[in-house]
Amino acid sequence: MKIQFYSKNVELTERIKDEFKEKLENLKKYKGNVDVLQIRVDVSRDQHHKTGDVYRVEINVDMHGKVLRSVENSADILSALDVVTEKLLRQARDIKDKIITKRKRGQ
């Protein structure tokens, strides 16, 4: 699993990168049915908000024939990461369930 990090207006420390890698490791449990080729993580900080920093976390997961994508805006990078990974895991679970259902039906 190859993970690429891109950042705009924010410095990604090794601690934050490790948090991302740890959360995205949960996608490996769906590897038997869906092969993860590449993950792209985009983190940016919007500067046009008056009430403080707003971080945008976008994760794109490239698979064979499928792309999972999730975007979240939050005041904290790690809280946005939690929401984004939950969305990705739900999408991966849905794909896995569809594959299993098709196998059971004999299609």
PDB file of all heavy atoms in Angstrom, residues 14-34:
ATOM      1  N   GLU A  14       5.974  14.229  11.386  1.00  0.00           N
ATOM      2  CA  GLU A  14       6.028  12.765  11.331  1.00  0.00           C
ATOM      3  C   GLU A  14       4.952  12.149  12.220  1.00  0.00           C
ATOM      4  O   GLU A  14       4.410  11.105  11.905  1.00  0.00           O
ATOM      5  CB  GLU A  14       7.417  12.275  11.759  1.00  0.00           C
ATOM      6  CG  GLU A  14       8.486  12.512  10.722  1.00  0.00           C
ATOM      7  CD  GLU A  14       8.177  11.827   9.394  1.00  0.00           C
ATOM      8  OE1 GLU A  14       7.725  10.667   9.393  1.00  0.00           O
ATOM      9  OE2 GLU A  14       8.392  12.464   8.362  1.00  0.00           O
ATOM     10  N   ARG A  15       4.638  12.811  13.325  1.00  0.00           N
ATOM     11  CA  ARG A  15       3.597  12.321  14.223  1.00  0.00           C
ATOM     12  C   ARG A  15       2.245  12.292  13.530  1.00  0.00           C
ATOM     13  O   ARG A  15       1.506  11.317  13.631  1.00  0.00           O
ATOM     14  CB  ARG A  15       3.531  13.191  15.476  1.00  0.00           C
ATOM     15  CG  ARG A  15       2.503  12.756  16.500  1.00  0.00           C
ATOM     16  CD  ARG A  15       2.531  13.714  17.688  1.00  0.00           C
ATOM     17  NE  ARG A  15       1.296  13.993  18.330  1.00  0.00           N
ATOM     18  CZ  ARG A  15       0.197  14.528  17.827  1.00  0.00           C
ATOM     19  NH1 ARG A  15       0.148  14.853  16.583  1.00  0.00           N
ATOM     20  NH2 ARG A  15      -0.872  14.753  18.545  1.00  0.00           N
ATOM     21  N   ILE A  16       1.932  13.338  12.792  1.00  0.00           N
ATOM     22  CA  ILE A  16       0.656  13.403  12.062  1.00  0.00           C
ATOM     23  C   ILE A  16       0.639  12.366  10.942  1.00  0.00           C
ATOM     24  O   ILE A  16      -0.367  11.677  10.733  1.00  0.00           O
ATOM     25  CB  ILE A  16       0.418  14.824  11.522  1.00  0.00           C
ATOM     26  CG1 ILE A  16       0.189  15.795  12.685  1.00  0.00           C
ATOM     27  CG2 ILE A  16      -0.774  14.847  10.574  1.00  0.00           C
ATOM     28  CD1 ILE A  16       0.072  17.234  12.276  1.00  0.00           C
ATOM     29  N   LYS A  17       1.756  12.223  10.238  1.00  0.00           N
ATOM     30  CA  LYS A  17       1.832  11.208   9.174  1.00  0.00           C
ATOM     31  C   LYS A  17       1.646   9.808   9.744  1.00  0.00           C
ATOM     32  O   LYS A  17       0.978   8.967   9.136  1.00  0.00           O
ATOM     33  CB  LYS A  17       3.159  11.313   8.431  1.00  0.00           C
ATOM     34  CG  LYS A  17       3.258  12.513   7.533  1.00  0.00           C
ATOM     35  CD  LYS A  17       4.587  12.525   6.804  1.00  0.00           C
ATOM     36  CE  LYS A  17       4.713  13.749   5.917  1.00  0.00           C
ATOM     37  NZ  LYS A  17       5.999  13.771   5.199  1.00  0.00           N
ATOM     38  N   ASP A  18       2.237   9.557  10.911  1.00  0.00           N
ATOM     39  CA  ASP A  18       2.078   8.250  11.546  1.00  0.00           C
ATOM     40  C   ASP A  18       0.625   7.998  11.947  1.00  0.00           C
ATOM     41  O   ASP A  18       0.131   6.874  11.841  1.00  0.00           O
ATOM     42  CB  ASP A  18       2.988   8.130  12.768  1.00  0.00           C
ATOM     43  CG  ASP A  18       4.460   8.046  12.385  1.00  0.00           C
ATOM     44  OD1 ASP A  18       4.751   7.696  11.217  1.00  0.00           O
ATOM     45  OD2 ASP A  18       5.309   8.325  13.252  1.00  0.00           O
ATOM     46  N   GLU A  19      -0.060   9.049  12.415  1.00  0.00           N
ATOM     47  CA  GLU A  19      -1.484   8.912  12.749  1.00  0.00           C
ATOM     48  C   GLU A  19      -2.293   8.543  11.509  1.00  0.00           C
ATOM     49  O   GLU A  19      -3.160   7.672  11.561  1.00  0.00           O
ATOM     50  CB  GLU A  19      -2.031  10.217  13.349  1.00  0.00           C
ATOM     51  CG  GLU A  19      -1.556  10.507  14.734  1.00  0.00           C
ATOM     52  CD  GLU A  19      -2.231   9.631  15.773  1.00  0.00           C
ATOM     53  OE1 GLU A  19      -3.395   9.228  15.565  1.00  0.00           O
ATOM     54  OE2 GLU A  19      -1.582   9.344  16.794  1.00  0.00           O
ATOM     55  N   PHE A  20      -2.003   9.198  10.384  1.00  0.00           N
ATOM     56  CA  PHE A  20      -2.688   8.890   9.130  1.00  0.00           C
ATOM     57  C   PHE A  20      -2.432   7.444   8.720  1.00  0.00           C
ATOM     58  O   PHE A  20      -3.356   6.714   8.355  1.00  0.00           O
ATOM     59  CB  PHE A  20      -2.239   9.840   8.015  1.00  0.00           C
ATOM     60  CG  PHE A  20      -2.984  11.127   7.965  1.00  0.00           C
ATOM     61  CD1 PHE A  20      -2.516  12.240   8.631  1.00  0.00           C
ATOM     62  CD2 PHE A  20      -4.152  11.234   7.235  1.00  0.00           C
ATOM     63  CE1 PHE A  20      -3.195  13.431   8.578  1.00  0.00           C
ATOM     64  CE2 PHE A  20      -4.843  12.424   7.180  1.00  0.00           C
ATOM     65  CZ  PHE A  20      -4.369  13.538   7.854  1.00  0.00           C
ATOM     66  N   LYS A  21      -1.165   7.028   8.778  1.00  0.00           N
ATOM     67  CA  LYS A  21      -0.813   5.661   8.377  1.00  0.00           C
ATOM     68  C   LYS A  21      -1.498   4.634   9.270  1.00  0.00           C
ATOM     69  O   LYS A  21      -1.989   3.613   8.793  1.00  0.00           O
ATOM     70  CB  LYS A  21       0.702   5.478   8.416  1.00  0.00           C
ATOM     71  CG  LYS A  21       1.423   6.216   7.322  1.00  0.00           C
ATOM     72  CD  LYS A  21       2.921   6.080   7.454  1.00  0.00           C
ATOM     73  CE  LYS A  21       3.636   6.926   6.408  1.00  0.00           C
ATOM     74  NZ  LYS A  21       5.093   6.883   6.581  1.00  0.00           N
ATOM     75  N   GLU A  22      -1.538   4.910  10.560  1.00  0.00           N
ATOM     76  CA  GLU A  22      -2.170   3.983  11.506  1.00  0.00           C
ATOM     77  C   GLU A  22      -3.668   3.844  11.223  1.00  0.00           C
ATOM     78  O   GLU A  22      -4.209   2.731  11.226  1.00  0.00           O
ATOM     79  CB  GLU A  22      -1.953   4.485  12.933  1.00  0.00           C
ATOM     80  CG  GLU A  22      -2.542   3.599  13.993  1.00  0.00           C
ATOM     81  CD  GLU A  22      -2.289   4.176  15.375  1.00  0.00           C
ATOM     82  OE1 GLU A  22      -1.191   4.706  15.617  1.00  0.00           O
ATOM     83  OE2 GLU A  22      -3.210   4.087  16.206  1.00  0.00           O
ATOM     84  N   LYS A  23      -4.334   4.957  10.964  1.00  0.00           N
ATOM     85  CA  LYS A  23      -5.774   4.915  10.676  1.00  0.00           C
ATOM     86  C   LYS A  23      -6.057   4.216   9.355  1.00  0.00           C
ATOM     87  O   LYS A  23      -7.033   3.484   9.222  1.00  0.00           O
ATOM     88  CB  LYS A  23      -6.357   6.328  10.632  1.00  0.00           C
ATOM     89  CG  LYS A  23      -6.392   7.023  11.950  1.00  0.00           C
ATOM     90  CD  LYS A  23      -7.505   6.498  12.795  1.00  0.00           C
ATOM     91  CE  LYS A  23      -7.589   7.313  14.073  1.00  0.00           C
ATOM     92  NZ  LYS A  23      -8.742   6.948  14.859  1.00  0.00           N
ATOM     93  N   LEU A  24      -5.206   4.450   8.358  1.00  0.00           N
ATOM     94  CA  LEU A  24      -5.441   3.872   7.037  1.00  0.00           C
ATOM     95  C   LEU A  24      -5.059   2.393   6.966  1.00  0.00           C
ATOM     96  O   LEU A  24      -5.419   1.718   6.001  1.00  0.00           O
ATOM     97  CB  LEU A  24      -4.693   4.676   5.981  1.00  0.00           C
ATOM     98  CG  LEU A  24      -5.221   6.107   5.787  1.00  0.00           C
ATOM     99  CD1 LEU A  24      -4.309   6.886   4.872  1.00  0.00           C
ATOM    100  CD2 LEU A  24      -6.638   6.103   5.267  1.00  0.00           C
ATOM    101  N   GLU A  25      -4.362   1.890   7.964  1.00  0.00           N
ATOM    102  CA  GLU A  25      -4.035   0.469   8.010  1.00  0.00           C
ATOM    103  C   GLU A  25      -5.298  -0.379   8.133  1.00  0.00           C
ATOM    104  O   GLU A  25      -5.297  -1.547   7.768  1.00  0.00           O
ATOM    105  CB  GLU A  25      -3.091   0.168   9.179  1.00  0.00           C
ATOM    106  CG  GLU A  25      -1.696   0.668   8.983  1.00  0.00           C
ATOM    107  CD  GLU A  25      -0.950  -0.071   7.896  1.00  0.00           C
ATOM    108  OE1 GLU A  25      -1.070  -1.292   7.811  1.00  0.00           O
ATOM    109  OE2 GLU A  25      -0.255   0.607   7.124  1.00  0.00           O
ATOM    110  N   ASN A  26      -6.383   0.211   8.640  1.00  0.00           N
ATOM    111  CA  ASN A  26      -7.631  -0.532   8.784  1.00  0.00           C
ATOM    112  C   ASN A  26      -8.214  -0.951   7.442  1.00  0.00           C
ATOM    113  O   ASN A  26      -9.025  -1.863   7.382  1.00  0.00           O
ATOM    114  CB  ASN A  26      -8.662   0.295   9.547  1.00  0.00           C
ATOM    115  CG  ASN A  26      -8.277   0.472  11.002  1.00  0.00           C
ATOM    116  OD1 ASN A  26      -7.598  -0.369  11.573  1.00  0.00           O
ATOM    117  ND2 ASN A  26      -8.701   1.557  11.594  1.00  0.00           N
ATOM    118  N   LEU A  27      -7.799  -0.308   6.353  1.00  0.00           N
ATOM    119  CA  LEU A  27      -8.277  -0.697   5.036  1.00  0.00           C
ATOM    120  C   LEU A  27      -7.700  -2.047   4.602  1.00  0.00           C
ATOM    121  O   LEU A  27      -8.235  -2.681   3.699  1.00  0.00           O
ATOM    122  CB  LEU A  27      -7.920   0.368   3.997  1.00  0.00           C
ATOM    123  CG  LEU A  27      -8.705   1.667   4.058  1.00  0.00           C
ATOM    124  CD1 LEU A  27      -8.129   2.679   3.087  1.00  0.00           C
ATOM    125  CD2 LEU A  27     -10.168   1.433   3.759  1.00  0.00           C
ATOM    126  N   LYS A  28      -6.639  -2.479   5.251  1.00  0.00           N
ATOM    127  CA  LYS A  28      -6.014  -3.747   4.878  1.00  0.00           C
ATOM    128  C   LYS A  28      -6.917  -4.944   5.143  1.00  0.00           C
ATOM    129  O   LYS A  28      -6.784  -5.974   4.503  1.00  0.00           O
ATOM    130  CB  LYS A  28      -4.689  -3.937   5.616  1.00  0.00           C
ATOM    131  CG  LYS A  28      -3.560  -3.151   5.036  1.00  0.00           C
ATOM    132  CD  LYS A  28      -2.267  -3.555   5.665  1.00  0.00           C
ATOM    133  CE  LYS A  28      -1.117  -2.827   4.993  1.00  0.00           C
ATOM    134  NZ  LYS A  28       0.160  -3.203   5.576  1.00  0.00           N
ATOM    135  N   LYS A  29      -7.852  -4.826   6.084  1.00  0.00           N
ATOM    136  CA  LYS A  29      -8.709  -5.967   6.374  1.00  0.00           C
ATOM    137  C   LYS A  29      -9.682  -6.250   5.237  1.00  0.00           C
ATOM    138  O   LYS A  29     -10.261  -7.322   5.178  1.00  0.00           O
ATOM    139  CB  LYS A  29      -9.453  -5.780   7.688  1.00  0.00           C
ATOM    140  CG  LYS A  29     -10.440  -4.646   7.728  1.00  0.00           C
ATOM    141  CD  LYS A  29     -11.048  -4.578   9.114  1.00  0.00           C
ATOM    142  CE  LYS A  29     -11.872  -3.331   9.285  1.00  0.00           C
ATOM    143  NZ  LYS A  29     -12.409  -3.229  10.625  1.00  0.00           N
ATOM    144  N   TYR A  30      -9.828  -5.308   4.302  1.00  0.00           N
ATOM    145  CA  TYR A  30     -10.661  -5.523   3.124  1.00  0.00           C
ATOM    146  C   TYR A  30      -9.834  -5.935   1.923  1.00  0.00           C
ATOM    147  O   TYR A  30     -10.345  -6.021   0.825  1.00  0.00           O
ATOM    148  CB  TYR A  30     -11.451  -4.254   2.793  1.00  0.00           C
ATOM    149  CG  TYR A  30     -12.385  -3.864   3.909  1.00  0.00           C
ATOM    150  CD1 TYR A  30     -12.107  -2.774   4.719  1.00  0.00           C
ATOM    151  CD2 TYR A  30     -13.524  -4.599   4.167  1.00  0.00           C
ATOM    152  CE1 TYR A  30     -12.957  -2.426   5.750  1.00  0.00           C
ATOM    153  CE2 TYR A  30     -14.371  -4.259   5.194  1.00  0.00           C
ATOM    154  CZ  TYR A  30     -14.085  -3.169   5.986  1.00  0.00           C
ATOM    155  OH  TYR A  30     -14.914  -2.844   7.007  1.00  0.00           O
ATOM    156  N   LYS A  31      -8.560  -6.205   2.126  1.00  0.00           N
ATOM    157  CA  LYS A  31      -7.654  -6.491   1.025  1.00  0.00           C
ATOM    158  C   LYS A  31      -7.991  -7.793   0.308  1.00  0.00           C
ATOM    159  O   LYS A  31      -7.741  -7.932  -0.884  1.00  0.00           O
ATOM    160  CB  LYS A  31      -6.213  -6.537   1.525  1.00  0.00           C
ATOM    161  CG  LYS A  31      -5.205  -6.641   0.415  1.00  0.00           C
ATOM    162  CD  LYS A  31      -3.807  -6.568   0.939  1.00  0.00           C
ATOM    163  CE  LYS A  31      -2.844  -6.635  -0.237  1.00  0.00           C
ATOM    164  NZ  LYS A  31      -1.483  -6.609   0.161  1.00  0.00           N
ATOM    165  N   GLY A  32      -8.573  -8.754   1.012  1.00  0.00           N
ATOM    166  CA  GLY A  32      -8.894 -10.022   0.388  1.00  0.00           C
ATOM    167  C   GLY A  32      -9.876  -9.881  -0.762  1.00  0.00           C
ATOM    168  O   GLY A  32      -9.804 -10.587  -1.764  1.00  0.00           O
ATOM    169  N   ASN A  33     -10.800  -8.952  -0.648  1.00  0.00           N
ATOM    170  CA  ASN A  33     -11.806  -8.754  -1.680  1.00  0.00           C
ATOM    171  C   ASN A  33     -11.528  -7.541  -2.567  1.00  0.00           C
ATOM    172  O   ASN A  33     -11.913  -7.515  -3.715  1.00  0.00           O
ATOM    173  CB  ASN A  33     -13.188  -8.588  -1.044  1.00  0.00           C
ATOM    174  CG  ASN A  33     -13.625  -9.852  -0.333  1.00  0.00           C
ATOM    175  OD1 ASN A  33     -13.451 -10.941  -0.845  1.00  0.00           O
ATOM    176  ND2 ASN A  33     -14.151  -9.708   0.855  1.00  0.00           N
ATOM    177  N   VAL A  34     -10.868  -6.552  -2.008  1.00  0.00           N
ATOM    178  CA  VAL A  34     -10.600  -5.315  -2.738  1.00  0.00           C
ATOM    179  C   VAL A  34      -9.133  -4.972  -2.552  1.00  0.00           C
ATOM    180  O   VAL A  34      -8.672  -4.815  -1.429  1.00  0.00           O
ATOM    181  CB  VAL A  34     -11.485  -4.166  -2.203  1.00  0.00           C
ATOM    182  CG1 VAL A  34     -11.219  -2.901  -2.964  1.00  0.00           C
ATOM    183  CG2 VAL A  34     -12.952  -4.535  -2.290  1.00  0.00           C
TER     184      VAL A  34
END
